[in-house]
Structure formats: structure tokens, C-alpha cells
Amino acid sequence: MAGIAKDPAGPGFRHFFLCPHLDPTGRITHVSGSHVSPYGEIVSEWRTEHGTLAYRATIPANSTATLSIPTTDPSTVREGRTPLSRVQGVQYLGFTNGTASYRLPSGHTTT
């Protein structure tokens, strides 16, 4: 449910996917997962509360991730008060079927 997945085109987790899977029943409200890659620890953690999704990720140095996060409106996906698409180093990839996708650089991201 944490949604850490390797990219077949990028062996060794140099690039990987973060696709958190929320519980459609709403009973599971918090998930945290990690994977130790050759570049360092990858972390994917989410929490839901009162209809709001809080997400935290760690992308190791010298690697990148594609984050696909469920939302009804990509403009509401933020890091602090800044829309995620405007955060330095983040590339907005698009919105399809209730999911906004972003390319994330190494570092920590909290939405």
C-alpha cells in the first residue's frame, strides 16, 4: 500500500515509482513503507484524516521518482503552501483518471 515500485527501465532503483494505494473502505488511515536501494533508503508514507491525504516521501541522492498521487484537483497537491508543481526541481507530468503525476528529484517531499 506504500506503493514503492522499481522502474524496469532504470535498474537498481536509480529511478522508481511511488504510487500510494489508499484503502477504499477508509479503515486503513496510515501506511508507511521503505526499501533500501543501492542509492539509500526510499520512504513512502501516507495518512488520511477528515478527507485529506498527507503524503511523505524520501528519494535518495542520485535517484529520481515518479509520484502518482490520487486527487480530484492537481492544484490542491502542495508542499507546505506551495503547489507541488511549482517546487524547485519538481516536474508536473499530468493528470489522468483522478491521479496527478510528478517527477521528483532526490530529497524529502511532504504533501
Side-chain angles (χ1 to χ4, degrees):
M1 292 180 82
I4 300 170
K6 66 180 179 177
D7 179 355
F13 283 87
R14 180 158 186 147
H15 179 263
F16 54 92
F17 297 100
L18 297 171
C19 306
H21 300 284
L22 306 184
D23 177 11
T25 69
R27 287 183 272 181
I28 298 173
T29 60
H30 179 252
V31 167
S32 181
S34 64
H35 173 76
V36 178
S37 78
Y39 297 94
E41 184 177 29
I42 299 166
V43 176
S44 177
E45 179 179 12
W46 60 261
R47 176 181 307 277
T48 57
E49 189 172 359
H50 307 295
T52 300
L53 170 65
Y55 181 75
R56 183 177 72 88
T58 301
I59 295 94
N62 300 313
S63 60
T64 59
T66 297
L67 169 64
S68 296
I69 195 156
T71 185
T72 56
D73 181 1
S75 69
T76 65
V77 180
R78 300 178 174 275
E79 183 173 65
R81 293 183 175 191
T82 305
L84 188 56
S85 60
R86 292 192 181 151
V87 172
Q88 183 175 353
V90 173
Q91 179 185 5
Y92 176 64
L93 301 175
F95 179 73
T96 306
N97 299 323
T99 301
S101 296
Y102 304 85
R103 174 68 69 106
L104 304 177
S106 60
H108 302 279
T109 300
T110 303
T111 64

